[in-house]
Amino acid sequence: MPHATPARASGRPRWWTELPLIAVVYGFYSAGRLLARGDISAAVDHGLEILRLEKTLHLNIEHPLNRLLTAHSWVGIPADFAYASLHYLVTPALLLWMYRRRTAAYRAARTWLLTSTLIGLIGFTLMPTCPPRLLDAAHGFVDTMAQYSSYGWWGTEASAPRGLGGMTNQYAAMPSLHVGWALWCGVLLWRYGRHPLLRALGVLYPLTIVFVVMGTANHYFLDALAGAAVMGAGALLTRPVMRAAAAVSARLRALVSRRYPSGGGVPATPSPIVSSGCETSAGERIPGRRTPSAHSSDAPRASGEPGRTGAGDSAPAAAR
């Protein structure tokens, strides 16, 4: 994981700027997945190509894991719950934990996650991929999410709630951001968790998610590797992205300061008051015109000198 930027830039940002940023990126990611559905036949072909490559490399461990979950409900049902929920619970919880407890590292952690997510979206767009569970039954996979759907809130269309399957793209298997986000969580727990239990969870959680995504036939092993690679690319790009964002922010602030030099949110305009810039001293209603008895110097002096009266009182102060 990239190191946090030192000095003031690493301070905790305001929550009312963070929430819209994260919401916009996640909304863009979700919408992009739907728009990147692609051709189903091409997605199936990509899935079969991955499966053939794994068999060639002897990496095809999805079949035994899928048979394990299919044959034993006490393993399959918890795995389905984990796939349908942890992705959306643990990741935001870790992000909030970093915001509250690890302020100096929060910006880098958030930027890493968002950058990697957008990279994953590029993968969904360029290579729509059919997950193992949607392949023809002749390929030996069983959709455990459909098999155990009566135990949870999901239907037969991945982890989407019943009736909302059309709101998700089921052909976005490559890369696996379930694995990518879990790896992000694991790194943060390992690096910033002070209790040994948190560090142990940092190791176990990503491994558990890898087991779950393959056992439920939602991803291939190479999908999991691609998810880890996406997070690695996001980590490498975190510092450049943060520098670029800081430069854009500085440029915007400079433009605003030039546009509104007074700092009050409106352009500076000349004062409509005619006497703007002219000041009167005590005892003067207009510059250079003194009024009677308006200043202590007009009173009789303590030495007994009689007070001045008559025309002298209205003489200009400069003549005295």
Side-chain angles (χ1 to χ4, degrees):
M1 176 187 169
H3 294 280
T5 303
R8 186 175 181 82
S10 62
R12 180 189 296 172
R14 295 177 176 85
W15 65 266
W16 59 84
T17 61
E18 286 299 293
L19 287 181
L21 172 64
I22 295 172
V24 166
V25 172
Y26 184 76
F28 181 73
Y29 158 73
S30 300
R33 290 190 71 199
L34 292 177
L35 294 176
R37 291 176 186 270
D39 182 21
I40 293 180
S41 61
V44 172
D45 290 341
H46 291 155
L48 292 176
E49 289 172 3
I50 292 174
L51 189 59
R52 284 193 292 268
L53 179 60
E54 287 187 353
K55 289 181 178 180
T56 301
L57 299 175
H58 303 286
L59 298 175
N60 179 29
I61 60 176
E62 299 94 325
H63 277 112
L65 293 179
N66 184 240
R67 286 192 292 268
L68 174 66
L69 270 62
T70 302
H72 302 284
S73 60
W74 62 273
V75 181
I77 294 175
D80 285 346
F81 271 98
Y83 182 83
S85 60
L86 295 184
H87 184 61
Y88 306 102
L89 296 178
V90 176
T91 308
L94 260 294
L95 193 63
L96 180 61
W97 177 67
M98 291 294 296
Y99 180 83
R100 297 291 302 274
R101 299 297 183 86
R102 301 293 182 266
T103 301
Y106 169 77
R107 288 180 186 269
R110 174 257 284 156
T111 305
W112 178 23
L113 178 65
L114 298 185
T115 303
S116 301
T117 299
L118 293 179
I119 295 174
L121 178 58
I122 297 174
F124 302 148
T125 304
L126 297 179
M127 188 175 176
T129 303
C130 177
R133 63 184 181 82
L134 293 182
L135 294 176
D136 189 273
H139 295 285
F141 291 102
V142 176
D143 187 352
T144 64
M145 302 294 292
Q147 179 183 1
Y148 300 120
S149 62
S150 60
Y151 292 91
W153 61 85
W154 58 86
T156 59
E157 298 174 302
S159 58
R162 291 185 181 89
L164 298 179
M167 300 297 294
T168 185
N169 179 8
Q170 299 191 80
Y171 297 95
M174 171 66 78
S176 171
L177 285 187
H178 270 76
V179 173
W181 287 11
L183 180 60
W184 178 85
C185 294
V187 170
L188 296 186
L189 287 171
W190 176 264
R191 185 166 184 177
Y192 298 107
R194 295 176 179 174
H195 195 280
L197 179 59
L198 290 179
R199 304 191 74 185
L201 288 175
V203 176
L204 293 176
Y205 179 61
L207 295 177
T208 300
I209 295 301
V210 171
F211 169 83
V212 164
V213 300
M214 290 192 295
T216 58
N218 277 287
H219 288 282
Y220 307 93
F221 179 67
L222 290 181
D223 293 345
L225 290 182
V230 162
M231 299 309 294
L236 292 176
L237 290 173
T238 294
R239 284 191 173 184
V241 169
M242 292 178 69
R243 286 195 294 265
V248 171
S249 178
R251 180 67 62 86
L252 291 176
R253 285 196 298 268
L255 290 175
V256 171
S257 64
R258 286 198 295 268
R259 175 67 175 169
Y260 305 114
S262 63
V266 295
T269 57
S271 174
I273 303 175
V274 175
S275 62
S276 177
C278 297
E279 296 182 358
T280 58
S281 62
E284 292 179 345
R285 293 184 180 177
I286 60 174
R289 300 292 292 177
R290 184 174 297 277
T291 57
S293 303
H295 195 274
S296 59
S297 62
D298 292 332
R301 297 183 180 179
S303 60
E305 179 184 355
R308 298 177 181 178
T309 60
D313 290 331
S314 60
R320 297 186 180 188

